Amino acid sequence: MKFERYGIGIARGMMVTFKHLFRHPTVSQYPEQRLNMSRRTRGNELIWNNVKCTGCVTCAKSCPQGAIHIETTVDPATNKYNVLKIEVDTGYCIQCGLCVEACPYEAIYMGYSVERAKYRRGELVQANEMLLASPDRPASGYMNPHIARELPRQTLLVEKIVEKR
Amino acid sequence: MTIKTEPFVINFGPAHPSTHGVFRMRVVLDGEVVLDLEPVYGYLHRGIEKLAEQRTYTGIIPLTDRLDYLAAMSNNLAHCIAVEKLAGIKVPERAEYLRVILAELQRLCSHLIAVGAFLNDSGAFMTPILYMLREREKILDLFEMLSGQRLTYNDMRPGGVSQDAPEEFLPALHKFVDQMPRYLDEYDQLLAKNEILLARSKGVGILSKELAINSSASGPVLRASGVKWDIRKAEPYSIYDRFEFEIPTGTAGDCYDRYLVRMLEMRQSVRIIEQAMKQFPSGEYRSRVPKLIRPPVGEVYSRIEAPKGELAFYIVSDSSIAPYRYHIRGTSLINLTALRDMIVGWKVADLIVIFGSIDICMGEVDR
Amino acid sequence: MTVSLSGTEVAKQIASQFPEAIAESSNQAVVVKTEYLLKVAEFLKNSPDFDFNYLNDMTAADYYDYFEVVFQLSSLNLNHKLMLKTRCYERLKPAVPSVCCLWRGAELMEREIYDLMGITFTGHPNLKRIVLWEGFQGHPLRKDYL
Amino acid sequence: MSSYLNQMLLQHEASVRVPPDWPGGYWFHWLFFTVVIIAFVLTIVMGFIYFERRALGRIQSRLGPNRTGPFGLLQPVADAIKVLLKEDIIPDKADKLVHWLAPIVAFFPVMLIFAVIPFQNGAMLVDLDIGILYIMAVSSVSTIGIFMAGWSSGNKYSLLGAMRAVASVVSYEIPLVLSIIGVILLSGSLSMNQIVIAQNIPFILLQPLGFLLFFISGCAEINRSPFDMLEADSEIVAGFHTEYSGMKFAMFYLVEYAEALAMSAIIATLFLGGWRGPVLPPWLWFIIKIFVVFFLMIWTRSTLPRVRIDQLMALAWKGLFPLALINLFITGVEVLLWPAGLPWLAVLINIVIMVVLLLLWSRFFKLGWGRVEI
């Protein structure tokens, strides 16, 4: 005799939902209660290091979206490139991180912050000094383990939910 | 007295709550019974195959993320394996294990969404999908820790993975794998034997074994019809030949079997991850590969078992930095071949359940 | 482990049945003439030695002089696979016989090829554009599409 | 409609028991309870909306609304304001008059139900001798409103939803009424107040099967999950109110919850002993019982998948209808055998009979597994 049609399945299912009434909710209340993001978060902007950058445009070449625009001149005295303009259209950026990976001098990083929405399309295009790192524009540890080490540890849901099943 | 009745045409989608995106079906209804059905595709066509012809082999990886966006890791893996086969790139051990772990986590992730959405379509108001999203969230945490993104990971590269796993990855994975079987038990308890679900899905939308094979169905849809075919076993790619696992198969090929096969596959995935964790080696995570890969002239058809079925890439190379022809075997699209045969004759409510049980992702259908 | 059948070996067997059919064969693939495609496909599907009951994939590539339609066949029972190709040298109105009658799975794949590559499949039950809309000019995956 | 009911009320004026200490007599009583009922329904409906959303949230491992006001208590108010300020859209192809009339037709019968529900001993608008019959008559009228809404919207999804609503309500009316008759046999009166007074033991114990049948068919009658066929959001978008917005949508929303409130109140009155209870004041007991019944509805909603329309019909005609008849027969025999006493033995017997019958029925009766041939 199979107990497939006697309402036992329904009763067992109801028990599961009833138990959840007394468990902690999984959610967190976002603006007040913030969880730490991953140390390798690819936030929605790029950070540029003007000291390390040599203007080799490897990042612009590797960008699949063509969002990075660099203009350089050659300085004949030192035989080096001089970056006149670096312009990133973060509206085109898909946060794939290939530019960071491609850069041979570690001069470009992904941003760590994610709340960078703008009201106008034009403000998404960032250039030169706007791209530099600053306290409110921290760099993320994506592809850069030495930065990752200093960032806060990621909050994990696996560790947050500890109730026994 | 006779009452004149006539069937009426109704549009399901492209903006319908349970068409999983922008799928559209023109359905001819007689009262509640579906008389005819014509799927309309193409609302999410982005021309990925054409775009890929102008990108480097590394630059394509973000595109593959956007194919089946619920299983981006698997797509990355399929692409990377295809490119490695084409260019003859070796992959270090650690990367292989990491890839298998990620691919299996991704399978869990995708199946959780599939089962949850199926149960949601069958009317269990949001509860199962929210429970399953909770588990998916834990997996996404792990992915985020590894790659920095939660949906479009862009994590694997030809010749390995982009970054090594951080030291806190394995303990977290351990915790997750410990918890997961208990949660799966809970899901089984929640709805697997529910009488209403049985009544709704047993015997509904039967896809016979012959039709399943003939219409090139793959993945859980094929296995639910009773075909023991899994590329991980049949043609072990990566290092799948080192793990012990079973291929769960259904018997009837109805919606309930498809649901059950997914639930059982999740347990097998957990099993694979456990084994991979035990054998996890140290060492290189990425072999040295030039930035611009120029594979020799040739073609390759390489397939993997993605969560939704056989995902394959057919790449023709002309030894330049971009592929000459880049074809994607969209699993979801091909699984929809037999959609009409499965649905016609059932009611509107069954249409939704059958459609939900196939588990498609519109990004992969229209590409 | 799936055995990848050698194209030349298979070509020999096909040639014993249809001596005219093979256009070219290599270790990777068999290229058959378009007019023999259906017969060869039927032979490959029904002969017990091959038993290709599963059509993995079907696609086309544009090589300027010709279109190449590529079939990936495999057998779920014998666990082997084969790459079958056919070439279509006509550029204005390329046509290839449809294999829908053998493998239903080809239905959507052929529609997709028709849509994006512009190859007509004669005998297809419902050949119309799939991802692009009716009346779209040109076929995007052709190399001359700009 | 309402003038007819006024007439009906006037005809029954003789049978109305007005408490002697009311200063204004009949009309003051009428005014007072009309205000009380409207206030009661609106506040409890808001409470229901809040309670359902919070409970669903907790069941689904989230929090539910908690932003507006303390603990999110003002969420229903915020919802109401939002919905009332929205633009009222009437589709081009709609039948405008019917489209406008539908929410009103659906809303009023629900309010009328509360006229005969006792909040306390004798505290009700009118203690009709035929109270339960009146409820059955009035409560199914709102289906007409729902059908009008579905028909007039000019939307195929709405039409499907409306058809489903009519089909399910017509079928479920029968087991609903039949399962009440057992209660009436036990109490010997159709008046709601008398039924409550007769419940020395709550009738849920004497009529367990009747309660189950009434709960199931009541859920189907007011289209709560798992029988929410007419607004099955994953199938037919939102069913009959797909094309409604703004104020009219708010009316339907109100109807939905007021119906749930009415059904909970009826169940509380018929089976759970209404306002009777120790220590606490009677009206509080009544509200507590209403919320308990409503929690049951939330609980089933959060757990169970939806049944299909033909399974819904099959369940009504093959499952609930025969069971209700058998229940009626058994109750009749019991009332004849023990006209005065032996209630605790009857409780035991009835529970045993319920278990046996349910097992038998689940053995014979099979939902689904079938394909419609065309």
Side-chain angles (χ1 to χ4, degrees), chain B residues 261-330:
Chain B
V261 163
R262 291 205 176 91
M263 290 303 281
L264 293 172
E265 260 180 38
M266 283 198 256
R267 291 178 191 275
Q268 298 302 326
S269 290
V270 174
R271 216 174 128 190
I272 295 176
I273 297 171
E274 270 175 355
Q275 293 174 39
M277 268 191 326
K278 278 199 194 107
Q279 305 169 13
F280 200 63
S282 55
E284 281 287 297
Y285 63 94
R286 192 174 179 181
S287 58
R288 294 192 65 82
V289 173
K291 249 174 205 151
L292 296 176
I293 302 163
R294 292 174 193 271
V297 180
E299 58 191 347
V300 70
Y301 177 82
S302 109
R303 51 188 187 174
I304 72 156
E305 183 75 24
K308 297 191 168 58
E310 177 185 332
L311 176 70
F313 288 90
Y314 173 73
I315 306 179
V316 181
S317 154
D318 56 351
S319 91
S320 68
I321 56 169
Y324 182 79
R325 173 85 173 92
Y326 188 82
H327 171 75
I328 304 151
R329 183 201 193 268

Side-chain angles (χ1 to χ4, degrees), chain B residues 28 75 81 83 105 109 140 151 153 157 168 172 192 211 217 250 263 266 283 289 294 315 331:
Chain B
V28 182
N75 302 343
I81 287 181
V83 175
L105 282 176
C109 217
L140 292 191
L151 193 72
Y153 314 109
R157 299 280 183 274
E168 66 258 38
L211 185 61
M263 290 303 281
M266 283 198 256
V289 173
R294 292 174 193 271
I315 306 179
T331 315

Side-chain angles (χ1 to χ4, degrees), chain B residues 8-12 16-18 29 31-33 35 120-127 130-131 134 191 194 196-197 199-200 202 204 344-347 349-350 352, chain D residues 56 58-62 156-157 159-160 164 225-226 228-229 233-237 301-311 367-374:
Chain B
F8 66 101
V9 182
I10 192 165
N11 257 316
F12 269 83
H16 186 278
S18 52
L29 290 181
E32 289 260 342
V33 181
L35 292 182
N120 201 29
D121 286 350
S122 68
F125 179 74
M126 291 306 282
T127 311
L130 279 167
Y131 290 175
R134 178 185 61 202
L191 276 172
N194 188 301
I196 298 176
L197 185 75
R200 281 299 299 282
K202 263 214 167 158
V204 172
V344 167
W346 292 100
K347 294 197 156 62
D350 296 320
I352 297 301
Chain D
L56 269 180
R58 289 314 304 267
I59 284 176
Q60 293 169 353
S61 189
R62 51 193 176 89
K156 287 165 184 171
Y157 290 120
L159 190 59
L160 272 177
R164 286 175 170 191
S225 180
D228 55 345
M229 305 299 306
D233 52 347
S234 66
E235 290 157 23
I236 49 173
V237 190
R301 180 183 180 200
S302 67
T303 316
L304 301 180
R306 192 180 297 122
V307 298
R308 205 167 58 199
I309 182 75
D310 59 328
Q311 292 164 355
L367 270 182
W369 273 271
R371 180 172 175 143
V372 187
E373 294 298 336
I374 50 161

Side-chain angles (χ1 to χ4, degrees), chain D residues 281-297:
Chain D
W283 57 269
L284 193 58
W285 267 114
F286 184 61
I287 290 174
I288 289 172
K289 283 171 183 172
I290 284 177
F291 270 89
V292 168
V293 176
F294 188 64
F295 175 73
L296 267 181
M297 289 183 187

